[in-house]
Amino acid sequence: MHPDSPSSRLPAPGRRAVLGAAAASSALAALPGTASAAPDARKTPSRRKPRALPGGGDLGPNVLVFDPATPNIQGRLDEIFRQQESAQFGTGRYQLLFKPGTYHGLNAQIGFYTSISGLGLSPDDTTINGDITVDAGWFNGNATQNFWRSAENLAVVPVNGTNRWAVSQAAPFRRMHIRGNLNLAPTGYGWSSGGYIADSRIDGQVQPYSQQQWYTRDSAIGGWLNGVWNMVFSGVEGAPAQGFPNPPYTTLATTPVSREKPFLYLGGSEYRVFLPEKRTNARGVTWGNGTPRGTSLPLSRFYVAKPGVSAATLNQALAEGLHLLLTPGIYHLDRPVRVDRAGTVVLGLGYATLIPDNGVTALKVADVDGVRLAGFLVDAGPVNSATLLEIGPRGASRDHSANPTTVQDVFVRIGGAGPGKATTSMVVNSRHTIVDHTWVWRADHGDGVGWETNRADYGVVVNGHDVLATGLFVEHFNKYDVQWFGERGRTIFYQNEKAYDAPNQAAIQNGPVKGYAAYRVGDDVTAHEGWGLGSYCYYNVDPGIVQHHGFTAPNRPGVRFHDLLVVSLGGNGQYERVINDTGSPTSGTSTVPSTVVSYP
């Protein structure tokens, strides 16, 4: 790719690059698709019923499948990496699949929009004697823009005993077994702003170094080296003890409810999709004693979608009772994809990307049990969408506690790859929904970026009761980043940055309040709880902007927060309080968090 092309050009370092300066130094220091005949056949010719869509089929050209006998695996991996290393807003999408077996001497460097996965039922079915590497050479050792890549379902025996995974947002590490240490920082210990691990075993030590924040869920680790601002653990064997704010560890013995992400695997010679079962009060990995618990579906039960397919065809497949497997690429939608059937799976490979055209909503889920959405990106279009992703219709009220909907590694972006607008990005109306790792991002760099150019007032709005978020990353919205109106909501780990590009104090004024909170609990809510929540400000257009608080919630006994922090990055803007009128103001240019351990 030509170095001066828009998709390969390095963003100006003045935005996210500055974000980690103090963090690094402190770390190192420490389908109804059928049509019927018209009533009057004399006037309107009858329509033919659409031919049934086939299930299964090949996975397309951007899914690369390897086995131990495949020649020149390293050469193919290197070729994909050269294309994707700096293509932050490019159109390439790739899924790398490794059949069960043992591979030797590989270094799989993972660039943008690239997912690497094993095809066994257990990570230990597919062993790589080598490395799966994310580093930041493309951005001068700064890993704060290493987004949109993933690793899943593999065992890795690192060459030098330590595997490097230097990522920031939208880069999940799931069902991995590292037979050694895991280093989360780039070469040279530059800045980094991640991240997420789930259902993984790291035999050695996890070494965050400069990572500002991290969430680890339902895993087992040999040790954890350090923390910068906000390290959160739930259901992790070997996790460090609770210590917030010094050291900045928030540790829950178990995760209240979890259900691991669906994944593609080989049952004999047949592709299948495994659906892990729900766990309550979970701790440790799901695969430690052999075959994980759950059910599976043959690929013949899925419509294998290819880029260019219409929303009408996707909806026809759903109406015919098929699930959706979105192969890597970009899908333009002229109407919403409608998931109306209980138990439907929509699984993306290689960061398959949905772009709603003409202001439509990309995907809508009915108020039904057990829908699983996983592994895709929703990219706002240039015409404003009222919403981009809707989980349950307005007023949804059914009890889904036995079989909740899960939203996992589903990422939302407004701007960056070009102009995009959305009033609200993600709306959760269905009760008991589990949002397990999302990054909802109004872009602060790239193309189509500006206070009004990629206008997006609200990130995530939760109206449903009993919703659980595990690993919630929401950044840069023009008004509230998260608004939570449902009862008994819970969030374990939250990472936020307020919009960098607010032009002045008046632009963010919220009536008598200075600025919109990063996380707002509705005034009428009587029960809510959050653990390990952080908000940062970096008002680089007008560093004099004052944000009254990062969090706001009704002051009543049933609304409780644990381990909150706000940070001013280099003094570009300031917080007066942490939550409501509680907590100390941030301090000058020191980039030191102001914390509240318990509220109220």
Side-chain angles (χ1 to χ4, degrees):
M1 187 174 290
H2 192 277
D4 292 330
S5 65
S7 58
S8 64
R9 189 179 304 130
L10 294 185
R15 292 177 177 270
R16 206 167 180 93
V18 176
L19 186 151
S25 60
S26 63
L28 297 175
L31 200 118
T34 58
S36 59
D40 187 347
R42 294 171 299 177
K43 296 180 179 178
T44 307
S46 62
R47 299 177 185 172
R48 294 180 181 176
K49 181 178 179 179
R51 185 172 59 186
L53 294 167
D58 75 271
L59 301 178
N62 286 7
V63 177
L64 285 70
V65 183
F66 304 104
D67 64 45
T70 302
N72 194 25
I73 297 174
Q74 187 66 55
R76 193 71 179 104
L77 295 175
D78 291 346
E79 179 185 354
I80 298 297
F81 180 65
R82 281 193 297 270
Q83 178 180 322
Q84 298 301 114
E85 180 183 12
S86 60
Q88 181 172 179
F89 298 111
T91 57
R93 304 285 188 272
Y94 291 94
Q95 177 75 52
L96 311 175
L97 296 176
F98 285 76
K99 293 182 179 180
T102 302
Y103 300 77
H104 297 282
L106 295 181
N107 181 16
Q109 298 183 82
I110 306 300
F112 285 100
Y113 313 110
T114 305
S115 298
I116 184 170
S117 307
L119 284 170
L121 264 180
S122 165
D124 289 328
D125 294 339
T126 311
T127 299
I128 292 179
N129 289 296
D131 294 277
I132 296 176
T133 302
V134 176
D135 208 340
W138 74 279
F139 200 42
N140 301 316
N142 173 3
T144 61
Q145 293 181 23
N146 280 352
F147 312 139
W148 303 306
R149 64 199 74 198
S150 67
E152 184 173 0
N153 205 28
L154 291 160
V156 180
V157 184
V159 170
N160 67 357
T162 299
N163 190 82
R164 186 183 303 278
W165 185 255
V167 298
S168 288
Q169 288 77 11
F173 200 77
R174 290 185 182 268
R175 294 178 56 79
M176 295 291 289
H177 185 186
I178 303 299
R179 298 178 189 167
N181 302 319
L182 183 64
N183 183 344
L184 303 178
T187 299
Y189 306 100
W191 308 327
S192 45
S193 177
Y196 177 90
I197 293 171
D199 199 23
S200 294
R201 181 180 297 278
I202 291 86
D203 292 347
Q205 185 183 60
V206 180
Q207 302 164 342
Y209 294 111
S210 58
Q211 285 287 355
Q212 295 155 351
Q213 68 279 315
W214 200 277
Y215 175 52
T216 308
R217 178 182 63 72
D218 298 356
S219 294
I221 61 176
W224 191 272
L225 178 64
N226 71 294
V228 177
W229 291 335
N230 189 31
M231 303 290 172
V232 180
F233 310 83
S234 68
V236 178
E237 298 171 355
Q242 170 73 30
F244 189 90
N246 187 25
Y249 300 145
T250 298
T251 303
L252 287 72
T254 62
T255 303
V257 186
S258 58
R259 188 174 69 192
E260 298 305 328
K261 173 182 172 286
F263 61 92
L264 192 68
Y265 75 104
L266 278 172
S269 60
E270 177 191 37
Y271 284 113
R272 301 181 67 89
V273 173
F274 193 82
L275 307 177
E277 71 175 16
K278 186 188 77 170
R279 298 200 292 171
T280 56
N281 298 317
R283 182 173 174 84
V285 300
T286 63
W287 46 270
N289 297 316
T291 304
R293 297 175 65 90
T295 59
S296 75
L297 296 168
L299 195 64
S300 60
R301 295 281 305 277
F302 285 77
Y303 177 68
V304 180
K306 308 290 173 53
V309 70
S310 69
T313 299
L314 296 175
N315 284 330
Q316 181 188 341
L318 291 167
E320 290 175 3
L322 294 171
H323 306 274
L324 296 182
L325 185 72
L326 305 173
T327 65
I330 294 174
Y331 297 75
H332 280 271
L333 307 174
D334 64 353
R335 66 196 72 178
V337 175
R338 295 186 178 274
V339 179
D340 295 329
R341 177 173 45 88
T344 299
V345 179
V346 180
L347 176 61
L349 300 179
Y351 285 81
T353 301
L354 307 179
I355 300 180
D357 294 329
N358 302 317
V360 303
T361 298
L363 190 147
K364 294 187 175 186
V365 180
D367 194 17
V368 294
D369 272 357
V371 171
R372 304 181 194 228
L373 308 180
F376 57 90
L377 172 65
V378 179
D379 209 351
V383 177
N384 185 74
S385 294
T387 60
L388 294 173
L389 179 64
E390 182 180 280
I391 311 302
R394 182 177 300 179
S397 60
R398 294 179 182 175
D399 188 316
H400 303 296
S401 56
N403 191 9
T405 285
T406 45
V407 183
Q408 300 177 283
D409 302 345
V410 174
F411 307 115
V412 179
R413 177 173 68 194
I414 303 95
K421 291 186 178 183
T423 303
T424 303
S425 293
M426 181 188 299
V427 179
V428 181
N429 293 318
S430 286
R431 293 184 62 191
H432 301 101
T433 298
I434 301 171
V435 179
D436 176 45
H437 189 225
T438 188
W439 185 37
V440 181
W441 185 58
R442 175 182 168 265
D444 62 273
H445 62 267
D447 294 330
V449 171
W451 183 248
E452 295 294 344
T453 306
N454 62 329
R455 181 86 193 185
D457 283 351
Y458 309 111
V460 176
V461 175
V462 180
N463 297 313
H465 299 328
D466 307 291
V467 171
L468 171 65
T470 51
L472 187 59
F473 299 74
V474 187
E475 296 186 307
H476 305 309
F477 285 84
N478 294 77
K479 292 186 178 179
Y480 291 112
D481 299 276
V482 170
Q483 294 190 91
W484 206 299
F485 301 112
E487 289 287 357
R488 298 175 299 281
R490 291 174 290 184
T491 296
I492 303 173
F493 180 90
Y494 175 63
Q495 187 259 332
N496 165 265
E497 294 169 15
K498 294 303 299 174
Y500 292 169
D501 56 347
N504 49 51
Q505 186 75 45
I508 66 160
Q509 193 68 18
N510 181 16
V513 179
K514 299 172 185 174
Y516 291 82
Y519 188 106
R520 173 196 178 197
V521 179
D523 295 343
D524 297 330
V525 172
T526 61
H528 187 91
E529 196 158 11
W531 296 262
L533 282 63
S535 176
Y536 321 151
C537 73
Y538 179 63
Y539 288 115
N540 64 342
V541 175
D542 181 359
I545 289 176
V546 175
Q547 176 87 20
H548 180 61
H549 46 217
F551 305 89
T552 186
N555 188 4
R556 54 177 61 104
V559 178
R560 302 187 300 273
F561 288 91
H562 316 272
D563 302 354
L564 299 172
L565 67 133
V566 295
V567 183
S568 167
L569 303 177
N572 291 273
Q574 300 288 345
Y575 292 91
E576 292 180 325
R577 295 289 183 265
V578 178
I579 179 168
N580 293 343
D581 295 319
T582 298
S584 301
T586 51
S587 178
T589 60
S590 64
T591 316
V592 172
S594 178
T595 61
V596 168
V597 173
S598 181
Y599 184 88

